[in-house]
Amino acid sequence: MKHNFPQVDLPVEMLAWRDVTEDILNLYRQSCRLKACIFALCTEGTITASINLMEHKIKKNDLIILMPGTILQLNEQVEKVRLCFVGFSSHCVNGINLLQATMGSFSKIWDNPIVGVSDLIASYFVDYFALLTRISLSHPTATSTAMAQSVLHSILLGINALYANRPQSILAKSRKEEICQKFVQLVIENYMTERRAQFYADKLGISLQHLSTTVKQVTGRNVLEIISHVVITDVKARLKSTDMTIQEIAYSLNFPSASFFGKYFKRHMGMSPLEYRNS
């Protein structure tokens, strides 16, 4: 079954809010796919959510990191819940290479998008989000792309520090979830040179059919979708944040030619690399 999730983006480069309640959260009761990058902290109550089709229970002092491409649906609300958050539009995020910005933590973040923090760390995030809320509400359209990207970089550095010393798997996982976790890690390590599904099945020591079925069951996405998502994330950042030519980007990612690269990008983005760079 193909999942056609509504796409959710932000209307401005950076948007923050320090007191998100049920009225706003109800907008996410239906599944959607985020184009934006969102960081939220639960400050009161408990709620369950489906993130990339995996169920999570969110409670006080849980930090939620939602990368672009995340499939999100808020489910049962156990009690009154409040969150504070800051989000960055796809236009802002596309100028940053998230793989590099999060260094070795990208797969941990993707695999475990919710991490509990201490009261002290939570208070830092509350204060920071409150400051960003004042800026966001006072000058909603005045925040430049460069300014928003600078704030995003600073948050990612803090997030990376939180994950750096944590084990790869915080919760007990099923065999299928372990396969998906290892698959995503392998893609992040090899996407610049390998985009064949068979390569990853061989690296995991399982059949291509087993890998395909497992990834689909756990994530709702197929193997090639996940590989292309990582590739396109990198490409978009290079197009927006560097002066590399289209040919240089193509060769840096080991595409056989600029023409082949252009067709690959257009198939996934609906426009040519140059059109995207100029958009």
Side-chain angles (χ1 to χ4, degrees):
M1 179 179 177
K2 184 177 180 180
H3 295 271
N4 294 310
F5 299 103
Q7 304 283 310
V8 175
D9 203 352
L10 296 179
V12 292
E13 298 286 55
M14 181 182 76
L15 181 65
W17 197 258
R18 64 181 178 182
D19 191 21
V20 179
T21 57
E22 290 88 345
D23 291 342
I24 297 177
L25 294 177
N26 284 335
L27 298 174
Y28 296 92
R29 295 296 181 184
Q30 299 298 321
S31 292
C32 61
R33 191 187 297 275
L34 298 179
K35 297 179 70 176
C37 183
I38 294 176
F39 306 92
L41 179 75
C42 181
T43 57
E44 179 184 344
T46 305
I47 190 171
T48 61
S50 172
I51 303 175
N52 291 325
L53 307 183
M54 302 288 289
E55 294 298 317
H56 296 271
K57 183 177 181 179
I58 300 169
K59 59 187 183 304
K60 183 179 179 181
N61 286 0
D62 276 351
L63 183 67
I64 308 107
I65 302 96
L66 304 174
M67 293 293 189
T70 296
I71 300 170
L72 173 68
Q73 181 179 12
L74 299 182
N75 302 320
E76 179 187 0
Q77 194 170 303
V78 178
E79 53 190 322
K80 183 178 180 180
V81 65
R82 291 180 182 273
L83 299 95
C84 54
F85 91 101
V86 62
F88 301 87
S89 71
S90 60
H91 180 265
C92 173
V93 175
N94 287 341
I96 292 179
N97 191 324
L98 292 177
L99 298 177
Q100 294 180 359
T102 53
M103 295 177 274
S105 297
F106 188 90
S107 63
K108 290 183 181 180
I109 294 170
W110 189 262
D111 191 53
N112 293 293
I114 299 173
V115 58
V117 298
S118 66
D119 288 339
L120 179 62
I121 297 299
S123 71
Y124 293 159
F125 277 105
V126 169
D127 290 344
Y128 192 40
F129 288 175
L131 173 61
L132 296 177
T133 298
R134 290 177 58 191
I135 296 172
S136 177
L137 294 180
S138 299
H139 306 283
T141 60
T143 303
S144 69
T145 300
M147 183 186 301
Q149 289 174 342
S150 178
V151 174
L152 176 55
H153 263 298
S154 70
I155 293 176
L156 289 173
L157 285 173
I159 296 298
N160 187 65
L162 286 176
Y163 279 89
N165 297 318
R166 290 176 178 264
Q168 183 75 6
S169 180
I170 297 174
L171 302 173
K173 296 184 180 298
S174 69
R175 173 59 179 160
K176 290 181 179 180
E177 290 170 333
E178 289 178 355
I179 289 174
C180 285
Q181 175 186 319
K182 292 177 181 177
F183 165 64
V184 172
Q185 180 64 42
L186 283 170
V187 172
I188 292 169
E189 293 172 355
N190 297 279
Y191 74 93
M192 294 180 67
T193 56
E194 285 290 348
R195 287 176 283 276
R196 296 176 298 117
Q198 186 65 58
F199 169 83
Y200 294 101
D202 292 343
K203 292 286 285 186
L204 289 167
I206 60 178
S207 70
L208 178 57
Q209 181 61 46
H210 187 188
L211 175 62
S212 300
T213 301
T214 300
V215 169
K216 188 68 174 179
Q217 288 177 345
V218 173
T219 70
R221 306 168 78 179
N222 65 47
V223 170
L224 292 181
E225 281 180 323
I226 292 176
I227 295 171
S228 64
H229 174 76
V230 175
V231 174
I232 294 298
T233 295
D234 191 338
V235 171
K236 290 192 297 185
R238 293 175 191 238
L239 288 169
K240 290 290 189 179
S241 62
T242 76
D243 58 1
M244 295 173 69
T245 66
I246 304 301
Q247 187 174 59
E248 287 171 339
I249 294 175
Y251 290 160
S252 70
L253 292 172
N254 285 280
F255 282 92
S257 67
S259 175
F260 187 91
F261 166 70
K263 292 177 181 177
Y264 180 93
F265 187 85
K266 188 167 186 177
R267 183 166 72 250
H268 293 287
M269 293 298 297
M271 65 180 76
S272 70
L274 186 58
E275 288 173 332
Y276 179 81
R277 168 169 274 173
N278 294 331
S279 64

mmCIF file of all heavy atoms in Angstrom, residues 98-142:
data_model
loop_
_atom_site.group_PDB
_atom_site.id
_atom_site.type_symbol
_atom_site.label_atom_id
_atom_site.label_comp_id
_atom_site.label_asym_id
_atom_site.label_seq_id
_atom_site.Cartn_x
_atom_site.Cartn_y
_atom_site.Cartn_z
ATOM 1 N N LEU A 98 22.634 18.181 6.880
ATOM 2 C CA LEU A 98 22.296 17.599 8.173
ATOM 3 C C LEU A 98 23.190 16.423 8.536
ATOM 4 O O LEU A 98 23.452 16.172 9.713
ATOM 5 C CB LEU A 98 20.830 17.161 8.180
ATOM 6 C CG LEU A 98 19.783 18.277 8.127
ATOM 7 C CD1 LEU A 98 18.386 17.679 8.058
ATOM 8 C CD2 LEU A 98 19.911 19.201 9.320
ATOM 9 N N LEU A 99 23.645 15.696 7.534
ATOM 10 C CA LEU A 99 24.516 14.554 7.811
ATOM 11 C C LEU A 99 25.819 15.008 8.456
ATOM 12 O O LEU A 99 26.322 14.387 9.393
ATOM 13 C CB LEU A 99 24.819 13.788 6.521
ATOM 14 C CG LEU A 99 23.607 13.175 5.800
ATOM 15 C CD1 LEU A 99 24.063 12.512 4.520
ATOM 16 C CD2 LEU A 99 22.899 12.190 6.701
ATOM 17 N N GLN A 100 26.368 16.100 7.947
ATOM 18 C CA GLN A 100 27.608 16.630 8.514
ATOM 19 C C GLN A 100 27.357 17.373 9.817
ATOM 20 O O GLN A 100 28.148 17.286 10.756
ATOM 21 C CB GLN A 100 28.294 17.545 7.502
ATOM 22 C CG GLN A 100 28.788 16.828 6.251
ATOM 23 C CD GLN A 100 29.457 17.763 5.265
ATOM 24 O OE1 GLN A 100 29.539 18.962 5.491
ATOM 25 N NE2 GLN A 100 29.925 17.206 4.154
ATOM 26 N N ALA A 101 26.260 18.118 9.888
ATOM 27 C CA ALA A 101 25.968 18.925 11.074
ATOM 28 C C ALA A 101 25.748 18.072 12.310
ATOM 29 O O ALA A 101 26.090 18.477 13.426
ATOM 30 C CB ALA A 101 24.757 19.813 10.816
ATOM 31 N N THR A 102 25.177 16.880 12.122
ATOM 32 C CA THR A 102 24.931 16.002 13.259
ATOM 33 C C THR A 102 26.062 14.998 13.454
ATOM 34 O O THR A 102 26.012 14.180 14.381
ATOM 35 C CB THR A 102 23.614 15.225 13.079
ATOM 36 O OG1 THR A 102 23.621 14.561 11.811
ATOM 37 C CG2 THR A 102 22.429 16.162 13.131
ATOM 38 N N MET A 103 27.056 15.062 12.571
ATOM 39 C CA MET A 103 28.237 14.201 12.671
ATOM 40 C C MET A 103 27.834 12.744 12.837
ATOM 41 O O MET A 103 27.051 12.221 12.071
ATOM 42 C CB MET A 103 29.145 14.696 13.792
ATOM 43 C CG MET A 103 29.733 16.076 13.511
ATOM 44 S SD MET A 103 30.739 16.721 14.864
ATOM 45 C CE MET A 103 29.473 17.478 15.883
ATOM 46 N N GLY A 104 28.329 12.077 13.875
ATOM 47 C CA GLY A 104 28.064 10.643 14.012
ATOM 48 C C GLY A 104 26.733 10.310 14.635
ATOM 49 O O GLY A 104 26.434 9.134 14.869
ATOM 50 N N SER A 105 25.908 11.307 14.910
ATOM 51 C CA SER A 105 24.659 11.051 15.630
ATOM 52 C C SER A 105 23.430 10.943 14.740
ATOM 53 O O SER A 105 22.334 10.706 15.248
ATOM 54 C CB SER A 105 24.424 12.161 16.670
ATOM 55 O OG SER A 105 25.448 12.166 17.635
ATOM 56 N N PHE A 106 23.576 11.127 13.429
ATOM 57 C CA PHE A 106 22.403 11.163 12.554
ATOM 58 C C PHE A 106 21.578 9.890 12.673
ATOM 59 O O PHE A 106 20.355 9.947 12.824
ATOM 60 C CB PHE A 106 22.820 11.386 11.100
ATOM 61 C CG PHE A 106 21.662 11.617 10.169
ATOM 62 C CD1 PHE A 106 21.194 12.906 9.932
ATOM 63 C CD2 PHE A 106 21.029 10.559 9.532
ATOM 64 C CE1 PHE A 106 20.122 13.127 9.086
ATOM 65 C CE2 PHE A 106 19.954 10.765 8.692
ATOM 66 C CZ PHE A 106 19.508 12.061 8.456
ATOM 67 N N SER A 107 22.233 8.738 12.631
ATOM 68 C CA SER A 107 21.481 7.485 12.684
ATOM 69 C C SER A 107 20.845 7.282 14.052
ATOM 70 O O SER A 107 19.757 6.710 14.168
ATOM 71 C CB SER A 107 22.384 6.297 12.334
ATOM 72 O OG SER A 107 23.425 6.164 13.274
ATOM 73 N N LYS A 108 21.518 7.738 15.120
ATOM 74 C CA LYS A 108 20.942 7.626 16.462
ATOM 75 C C LYS A 108 19.687 8.487 16.568
ATOM 76 O O LYS A 108 18.682 8.084 17.165
ATOM 77 C CB LYS A 108 21.956 8.061 17.519
ATOM 78 C CG LYS A 108 23.134 7.124 17.707
ATOM 79 C CD LYS A 108 24.035 7.614 18.825
ATOM 80 C CE LYS A 108 25.234 6.700 19.028
ATOM 81 N NZ LYS A 108 26.110 7.170 20.120
ATOM 82 N N ILE A 109 19.760 9.698 16.008
ATOM 83 C CA ILE A 109 18.612 10.602 16.039
ATOM 84 C C ILE A 109 17.454 10.001 15.257
ATOM 85 O O ILE A 109 16.306 10.012 15.702
ATOM 86 C CB ILE A 109 18.992 11.985 15.469
ATOM 87 C CG1 ILE A 109 20.017 12.667 16.386
ATOM 88 C CG2 ILE A 109 17.763 12.864 15.300
ATOM 89 C CD1 ILE A 109 20.630 13.919 15.792
ATOM 90 N N TRP A 110 17.748 9.479 14.065
ATOM 91 C CA TRP A 110 16.702 8.902 13.230
ATOM 92 C C TRP A 110 16.091 7.681 13.903
ATOM 93 O O TRP A 110 14.874 7.463 13.863
ATOM 94 C CB TRP A 110 17.271 8.524 11.863
ATOM 95 C CG TRP A 110 16.209 8.122 10.877
ATOM 96 C CD1 TRP A 110 15.819 6.860 10.549
ATOM 97 C CD2 TRP A 110 15.379 8.990 10.095
ATOM 98 N NE1 TRP A 110 14.814 6.883 9.615
ATOM 99 C CE2 TRP A 110 14.524 8.184 9.320
ATOM 100 C CE3 TRP A 110 15.291 10.377 9.978
ATOM 101 C CZ2 TRP A 110 13.588 8.704 8.446
ATOM 102 C CZ3 TRP A 110 14.356 10.900 9.102
ATOM 103 C CH2 TRP A 110 13.521 10.071 8.353
ATOM 104 N N ASP A 111 16.936 6.894 14.564
ATOM 105 C CA ASP A 111 16.480 5.657 15.185
ATOM 106 C C ASP A 111 15.765 5.925 16.509
ATOM 107 O O ASP A 111 14.813 5.241 16.871
ATOM 108 C CB ASP A 111 17.665 4.720 15.417
ATOM 109 C CG ASP A 111 17.220 3.328 15.816
ATOM 110 O OD1 ASP A 111 16.391 2.736 15.090
ATOM 111 O OD2 ASP A 111 17.681 2.834 16.857
ATOM 112 N N ASN A 112 16.235 6.923 17.259
ATOM 113 C CA ASN A 112 15.653 7.272 18.560
ATOM 114 C C ASN A 112 15.381 8.773 18.601
ATOM 115 O O ASN A 112 16.168 9.547 19.156
ATOM 116 C CB ASN A 112 16.614 6.885 19.697
ATOM 117 C CG ASN A 112 16.793 5.389 19.817
ATOM 118 O OD1 ASN A 112 15.887 4.663 20.165
ATOM 119 N ND2 ASN A 112 17.999 4.919 19.509
ATOM 120 N N PRO A 113 14.277 9.216 18.005
ATOM 121 C CA PRO A 113 14.005 10.657 17.897
ATOM 122 C C PRO A 113 13.562 11.308 19.194
ATOM 123 O O PRO A 113 13.362 12.522 19.233
ATOM 124 C CB PRO A 113 12.889 10.715 16.841
ATOM 125 C CG PRO A 113 12.170 9.410 17.012
ATOM 126 C CD PRO A 113 13.244 8.406 17.333
ATOM 127 N N ILE A 114 13.399 10.515 20.249
ATOM 128 C CA ILE A 114 12.997 11.058 21.545
ATOM 129 C C ILE A 114 14.046 10.690 22.583
ATOM 130 O O ILE A 114 14.429 9.524 22.715
ATOM 131 C CB ILE A 114 11.627 10.503 21.971
ATOM 132 C CG1 ILE A 114 10.559 10.906 20.957
ATOM 133 C CG2 ILE A 114 11.249 10.985 23.366
ATOM 134 C CD1 ILE A 114 9.215 10.264 21.192
ATOM 135 N N VAL A 115 14.521 11.698 23.303
ATOM 136 C CA VAL A 115 15.533 11.448 24.324
ATOM 137 C C VAL A 115 15.167 12.216 25.593
ATOM 138 O O VAL A 115 14.844 13.400 25.550
ATOM 139 C CB VAL A 115 16.943 11.854 23.822
ATOM 140 C CG1 VAL A 115 16.995 13.314 23.418
ATOM 141 C CG2 VAL A 115 18.004 11.547 24.871
ATOM 142 N N GLY A 116 15.183 11.529 26.727
ATOM 143 C CA GLY A 116 14.878 12.165 27.993
ATOM 144 C C GLY A 116 16.077 12.962 28.490
ATOM 145 O O GLY A 116 17.230 12.530 28.349
ATOM 146 N N VAL A 117 15.831 14.140 29.042
ATOM 147 C CA VAL A 117 16.907 14.980 29.571
ATOM 148 C C VAL A 117 16.618 15.316 31.031
ATOM 149 O O VAL A 117 15.482 15.172 31.516
ATOM 150 C CB VAL A 117 17.067 16.283 28.748
ATOM 151 C CG1 VAL A 117 17.431 15.961 27.315
ATOM 152 C CG2 VAL A 117 15.785 17.112 28.795
ATOM 153 N N SER A 118 17.628 15.772 31.737
ATOM 154 C CA SER A 118 17.481 16.121 33.149
ATOM 155 C C SER A 118 16.682 17.411 33.302
ATOM 156 O O SER A 118 16.479 18.152 32.333
ATOM 157 C CB SER A 118 18.861 16.300 33.780
ATOM 158 O OG SER A 118 19.515 17.430 33.210
ATOM 159 N N ASP A 119 16.264 17.691 34.526
ATOM 160 C CA ASP A 119 15.542 18.941 34.795
ATOM 161 C C ASP A 119 16.381 20.147 34.404
ATOM 162 O O ASP A 119 15.855 21.130 33.859
ATOM 163 C CB ASP A 119 15.167 19.036 36.273
ATOM 164 C CG ASP A 119 14.044 18.083 36.663
ATOM 165 O OD1 ASP A 119 13.288 17.647 35.770
ATOM 166 O OD2 ASP A 119 13.922 17.774 37.863
ATOM 167 N N LEU A 120 17.683 20.086 34.679
ATOM 168 C CA LEU A 120 18.560 21.209 34.376
ATOM 169 C C LEU A 120 18.655 21.446 32.869
ATOM 170 O O LEU A 120 18.487 22.573 32.391
ATOM 171 C CB LEU A 120 19.961 20.966 34.956
ATOM 172 C CG LEU A 120 20.996 22.070 34.699
ATOM 173 C CD1 LEU A 120 20.542 23.377 35.334
ATOM 174 C CD2 LEU A 120 22.367 21.649 35.229
ATOM 175 N N ILE A 121 18.919 20.370 32.107
ATOM 176 C CA ILE A 121 19.016 20.497 30.648
ATOM 177 C C ILE A 121 17.678 20.950 30.070
ATOM 178 O O ILE A 121 17.617 21.788 29.165
ATOM 179 C CB ILE A 121 19.456 19.170 30.005
ATOM 180 C CG1 ILE A 121 20.853 18.783 30.487
ATOM 181 C CG2 ILE A 121 19.435 19.278 28.488
ATOM 182 C CD1 ILE A 121 21.935 19.778 30.137
ATOM 183 N N ALA A 122 16.582 20.416 30.616
ATOM 184 C CA ALA A 122 15.260 20.813 30.145
ATOM 185 C C ALA A 122 15.042 22.311 30.358
ATOM 186 O O ALA A 122 14.476 22.995 29.497
ATOM 187 C CB ALA A 122 14.179 20.016 30.871
ATOM 188 N N SER A 123 15.511 22.833 31.502
ATOM 189 C CA SER A 123 15.338 24.264 31.776
ATOM 190 C C SER A 123 16.114 25.108 30.774
ATOM 191 O O SER A 123 15.667 26.202 30.397
ATOM 192 C CB SER A 123 15.787 24.585 33.208
ATOM 193 O OG SER A 123 17.191 24.502 33.361
ATOM 194 N N TYR A 124 17.274 24.612 30.326
ATOM 195 C CA TYR A 124 18.049 25.338 29.311
ATOM 196 C C TYR A 124 17.243 25.443 28.014
ATOM 197 O O TYR A 124 17.182 26.513 27.385
ATOM 198 C CB TYR A 124 19.376 24.629 29.034
ATOM 199 C CG TYR A 124 20.355 24.634 30.177
ATOM 200 C CD1 TYR A 124 21.381 23.683 30.237
ATOM 201 C CD2 TYR A 124 20.281 25.577 31.193
ATOM 202 C CE1 TYR A 124 22.287 23.676 31.273
ATOM 203 C CE2 TYR A 124 21.195 25.569 32.239
ATOM 204 C CZ TYR A 124 22.200 24.619 32.277
ATOM 205 O OH TYR A 124 23.098 24.613 33.308
ATOM 206 N N PHE A 125 16.653 24.317 27.602
ATOM 207 C CA PHE A 125 15.872 24.316 26.371
ATOM 208 C C PHE A 125 14.645 25.210 26.498
ATOM 209 O O PHE A 125 14.290 25.936 25.562
ATOM 210 C CB PHE A 125 15.458 22.890 25.998
ATOM 211 C CG PHE A 125 16.515 22.118 25.257
ATOM 212 C CD1 PHE A 125 17.248 21.137 25.890
ATOM 213 C CD2 PHE A 125 16.771 22.370 23.920
ATOM 214 C CE1 PHE A 125 18.233 20.425 25.217
ATOM 215 C CE2 PHE A 125 17.750 21.665 23.230
ATOM 216 C CZ PHE A 125 18.480 20.697 23.884
ATOM 217 N N VAL A 126 13.982 25.182 27.648
ATOM 218 C CA VAL A 126 12.806 26.031 27.858
ATOM 219 C C VAL A 126 13.184 27.501 27.717
ATOM 220 O O VAL A 126 12.498 28.283 27.043
ATOM 221 C CB VAL A 126 12.181 25.769 29.240
ATOM 222 C CG1 VAL A 126 11.129 26.838 29.568
ATOM 223 C CG2 VAL A 126 11.542 24.385 29.287
ATOM 224 N N ASP A 127 14.291 27.891 28.359
ATOM 225 C CA ASP A 127 14.734 29.285 28.291
ATOM 226 C C ASP A 127 15.110 29.671 26.859
ATOM 227 O O ASP A 127 14.792 30.778 26.389
ATOM 228 C CB ASP A 127 15.932 29.510 29.219
ATOM 229 C CG ASP A 127 15.558 29.439 30.689
ATOM 230 O OD1 ASP A 127 14.357 29.514 30.989
ATOM 231 O OD2 ASP A 127 16.465 29.297 31.533
ATOM 232 N N TYR A 128 15.804 28.768 26.180
ATOM 233 C CA TYR A 128 16.254 29.052 24.810
ATOM 234 C C TYR A 128 15.056 29.164 23.867
ATOM 235 O O TYR A 128 14.967 30.089 23.056
ATOM 236 C CB TYR A 128 17.205 27.957 24.352
ATOM 237 C CG TYR A 128 17.960 28.277 23.073
ATOM 238 C CD1 TYR A 128 18.464 29.550 22.826
ATOM 239 C CD2 TYR A 128 18.177 27.291 22.108
ATOM 240 C CE1 TYR A 128 19.154 29.831 21.669
ATOM 241 C CE2 TYR A 128 18.872 27.572 20.948
ATOM 242 C CZ TYR A 128 19.358 28.846 20.734
ATOM 243 O OH TYR A 128 20.051 29.133 19.581
ATOM 244 N N PHE A 129 14.115 28.227 23.992
ATOM 245 C CA PHE A 129 12.930 28.274 23.146
ATOM 246 C C PHE A 129 12.095 29.520 23.439
ATOM 247 O O PHE A 129 11.465 30.081 22.541
ATOM 248 C CB PHE A 129 12.077 27.017 23.353
ATOM 249 C CG PHE A 129 12.676 25.759 22.753
ATOM 250 C CD1 PHE A 129 12.067 24.528 22.940
ATOM 251 C CD2 PHE A 129 13.841 25.807 22.007
ATOM 252 C CE1 PHE A 129 12.603 23.369 22.390
ATOM 253 C CE2 PHE A 129 14.397 24.654 21.456
ATOM 254 C CZ PHE A 129 13.770 23.439 21.646
ATOM 255 N N ALA A 130 12.069 29.958 24.715
ATOM 256 C CA ALA A 130 11.332 31.168 25.074
ATOM 257 C C ALA A 130 11.944 32.387 24.385
ATOM 258 O O ALA A 130 11.233 33.268 23.884
ATOM 259 C CB ALA A 130 11.336 31.356 26.592
ATOM 260 N N LEU A 131 13.281 32.445 24.360
ATOM 261 C CA LEU A 131 13.968 33.537 23.674
ATOM 262 C C LEU A 131 13.655 33.518 22.180
ATOM 263 O O LEU A 131 13.337 34.557 21.585
ATOM 264 C CB LEU A 131 15.474 33.433 23.902
ATOM 265 C CG LEU A 131 16.358 34.412 23.102
ATOM 266 C CD1 LEU A 131 16.020 35.851 23.469
ATOM 267 C CD2 LEU A 131 17.834 34.117 23.355
ATOM 268 N N LEU A 132 13.733 32.334 21.581
ATOM 269 C CA LEU A 132 13.447 32.218 20.156
ATOM 270 C C LEU A 132 11.986 32.543 19.856
ATOM 271 O O LEU A 132 11.666 33.077 18.787
ATOM 272 C CB LEU A 132 13.789 30.804 19.662
ATOM 273 C CG LEU A 132 15.270 30.402 19.741
ATOM 274 C CD1 LEU A 132 15.457 28.965 19.289
ATOM 275 C CD2 LEU A 132 16.137 31.346 18.918
ATOM 276 N N THR A 133 11.095 32.252 20.805
ATOM 277 C CA THR A 133 9.682 32.597 20.640
ATOM 278 C C THR A 133 9.511 34.110 20.583
ATOM 279 O O THR A 133 8.758 34.634 19.743
ATOM 280 C CB THR A 133 8.841 32.024 21.794
ATOM 281 O OG1 THR A 133 8.934 30.593 21.776
ATOM 282 C CG2 THR A 133 7.386 32.444 21.665
ATOM 283 N N ARG A 134 10.181 34.832 21.465
ATOM 284 C CA ARG A 134 10.101 36.297 21.455
ATOM 285 C C ARG A 134 10.577 36.858 20.121
ATOM 286 O O ARG A 134 9.954 37.758 19.548
ATOM 287 C CB ARG A 134 10.938 36.871 22.597
ATOM 288 C CG ARG A 134 10.381 36.615 23.985
ATOM 289 C CD ARG A 134 11.296 37.149 25.052
ATOM 290 N NE ARG A 134 11.517 38.590 24.895
ATOM 291 C CZ ARG A 134 12.451 39.270 25.563
ATOM 292 N NH1 ARG A 134 13.255 38.644 26.400
ATOM 293 N NH2 ARG A 134 12.562 40.568 25.380
ATOM 294 N N ILE A 135 11.676 36.317 19.618
ATOM 295 C CA ILE A 135 12.204 36.776 18.332
ATOM 296 C C ILE A 135 11.232 36.433 17.211
ATOM 297 O O ILE A 135 10.917 37.257 16.347
ATOM 298 C CB ILE A 135 13.576 36.134 18.054
ATOM 299 C CG1 ILE A 135 14.602 36.593 19.093
ATOM 300 C CG2 ILE A 135 14.061 36.470 16.639
ATOM 301 C CD1 ILE A 135 15.925 35.866 19.017
ATOM 302 N N SER A 136 10.725 35.205 17.243
ATOM 303 C CA SER A 136 9.839 34.721 16.189
ATOM 304 C C SER A 136 8.530 35.513 16.134
ATOM 305 O O SER A 136 8.036 35.846 15.053
ATOM 306 C CB SER A 136 9.545 33.234 16.417
ATOM 307 O OG SER A 136 8.647 32.731 15.461
ATOM 308 N N LEU A 137 7.967 35.815 17.309
ATOM 309 C CA LEU A 137 6.689 36.525 17.355
ATOM 310 C C LEU A 137 6.845 38.016 17.090
ATOM 311 O O LEU A 137 5.957 38.648 16.512
ATOM 312 C CB LEU A 137 6.018 36.309 18.711
ATOM 313 C CG LEU A 137 5.569 34.882 19.022
ATOM 314 C CD1 LEU A 137 4.928 34.819 20.400
ATOM 315 C CD2 LEU A 137 4.603 34.382 17.953
ATOM 316 N N SER A 138 7.970 38.594 17.505
ATOM 317 C CA SER A 138 8.187 40.026 17.314
ATOM 318 C C SER A 138 8.491 40.366 15.865
ATOM 319 O O SER A 138 8.050 41.394 15.340
ATOM 320 C CB SER A 138 9.330 40.508 18.215
ATOM 321 O OG SER A 138 9.032 40.293 19.569
ATOM 322 N N HIS A 139 9.263 39.489 15.208
ATOM 323 C CA HIS A 139 9.669 39.742 13.828
ATOM 324 C C HIS A 139 9.544 38.443 13.024
ATOM 325 O O HIS A 139 10.552 37.855 12.614
ATOM 326 C CB HIS A 139 11.106 40.264 13.775
ATOM 327 C CG HIS A 139 11.343 41.464 14.641
ATOM 328 N ND1 HIS A 139 10.926 42.718 14.278
ATOM 329 C CD2 HIS A 139 11.931 41.585 15.858
ATOM 330 C CE1 HIS A 139 11.264 43.581 15.230
ATOM 331 N NE2 HIS A 139 11.865 42.919 16.196
ATOM 332 N N PRO A 140 8.326 37.973 12.792
ATOM 333 C CA PRO A 140 8.127 36.660 12.155
ATOM 334 C C PRO A 140 8.720 36.517 10.763
ATOM 335 O O PRO A 140 9.073 35.421 10.351
ATOM 336 C CB PRO A 140 6.595 36.523 12.122
ATOM 337 C CG PRO A 140 6.085 37.925 12.201
ATOM 338 C CD PRO A 140 7.055 38.645 13.073
ATOM 339 N N THR A 141 8.821 37.616 10.020
ATOM 340 C CA THR A 141 9.348 37.518 8.659
ATOM 341 C C THR A 141 10.717 38.188 8.521
ATOM 342 O O THR A 141 11.273 38.219 7.432
ATOM 343 C CB THR A 141 8.378 38.170 7.654
ATOM 344 O OG1 THR A 141 8.199 39.558 7.998
ATOM 345 C CG2 THR A 141 7.033 37.465 7.673
ATOM 346 N N ALA A 142 11.222 38.720 9.649
ATOM 347 C CA ALA A 142 12.481 39.463 9.569
ATOM 348 C C ALA A 142 13.710 38.577 9.754
ATOM 349 O O ALA A 142 14.823 38.987 9.441
ATOM 350 C CB ALA A 142 12.491 40.584 10.605
#
